[in-house]
Amino acid sequence: MLRRYVGYRDSNARQLVAVEISGRADVGRARLSGQVDRIERDADGGFVVIDLKTGASAPSKVDLLRHPQLGAYQVALEHGAFRDETGAEPMSAGSALVQIGGTRIKALSQPQVALSMDDEPDWAENLVRDTADGMAGDRFLAKVGSHCNTCPVRLACPAQPEGDRE
Ligand code: SF4
């Protein structure tokens, strides 16, 4: 993994801004808080949040388009979560998972385009806001997806065939 990471670092054209940096930003009712592995700056002055992944699996290209974690990074950055490193009004140039685990020979960079370049630039911010609003409510909508495979309450979930029992 270290060899793959060093290979990524040494071949990366963007400028390193910060590593393992904590940030926090309020977006509507949501507070985005956490630590990111790397922040990099591209030649146009845009910032890219990098998340190093050490597992063997990697999301598909289609999943990257609406990858919630990568989208939340971009929203947090544009809301000033890392203002000490990026300034108060930074422009997101995207975000990326960098896969250094598994048996691959080289690190695999999996980018998500900048929100401003997306067909729906507000998708990630809407997701953050809607999630916070939903968590503050007294009802929770069961949304079926791949995450159901490891859900501990699947047998009691009304959205699943096995949970739809009297
Ligand atoms: S099984 Fe039901 S409760 Fe569990 S993650 Fe899926 S939709 Fe949500």
Side-chain angles (χ1 to χ4, degrees), residues 2-156:
L2 186 58
R3 200 164 33 239
R4 293 181 201 117
Y5 171 71
V6 170
Y8 166 78
R9 184 198 65 185
D10 292 350
S11 63
N12 182 19
R14 290 184 294 258
Q15 176 190 358
L16 178 64
V17 174
V19 294
E20 295 187 346
I21 190 76
S22 296
R24 191 172 80 175
D26 291 336
V27 182
R29 298 175 72 162
R31 172 160 291 173
L32 296 171
S33 176
Q35 189 180 66
V36 299
D37 291 326
R38 291 172 66 93
I39 298 177
E40 300 170 354
R41 181 166 41 220
D42 70 10
D44 298 323
F47 294 92
V48 180
V49 174
I50 302 294
D51 189 25
L52 299 171
K53 292 292 188 190
T54 57
S57 62
S60 68
K61 276 188 177 175
V62 172
D63 288 343
L64 286 169
L65 291 171
R66 291 291 180 270
H67 194 283
Q69 184 182 3
L70 291 179
Y73 286 150
Q74 295 202 62
V75 173
L77 182 134
E78 291 198 328
H79 281 76
F82 312 104
R83 62 182 66 234
D84 288 350
E85 291 73 28
T86 64
E89 296 183 1
M91 177 181 69
S92 172
S95 52
L97 305 176
V98 174
Q99 307 283 352
I100 57 172
T103 56
R104 52 182 63 89
I105 296 177
K106 296 193 326 187
L108 172 66
S109 181
Q110 297 192 288
Q112 180 180 74
V113 297
L115 295 176
S116 61
M117 302 288 287
D118 195 282
D119 292 342
E120 296 176 58
D122 296 332
W123 75 265
E125 181 165 336
N126 289 340
L127 178 63
V128 170
R129 290 177 180 271
D130 291 349
T131 301
D133 289 342
M135 293 298 290
D138 58 359
R139 288 172 178 262
F140 296 88
L141 184 66
K143 291 188 177 178
V144 175
S146 59
H147 48 273
C148 297
N149 295 336
T150 55
C151 176
V153 297
R154 184 182 176 116
L155 291 176

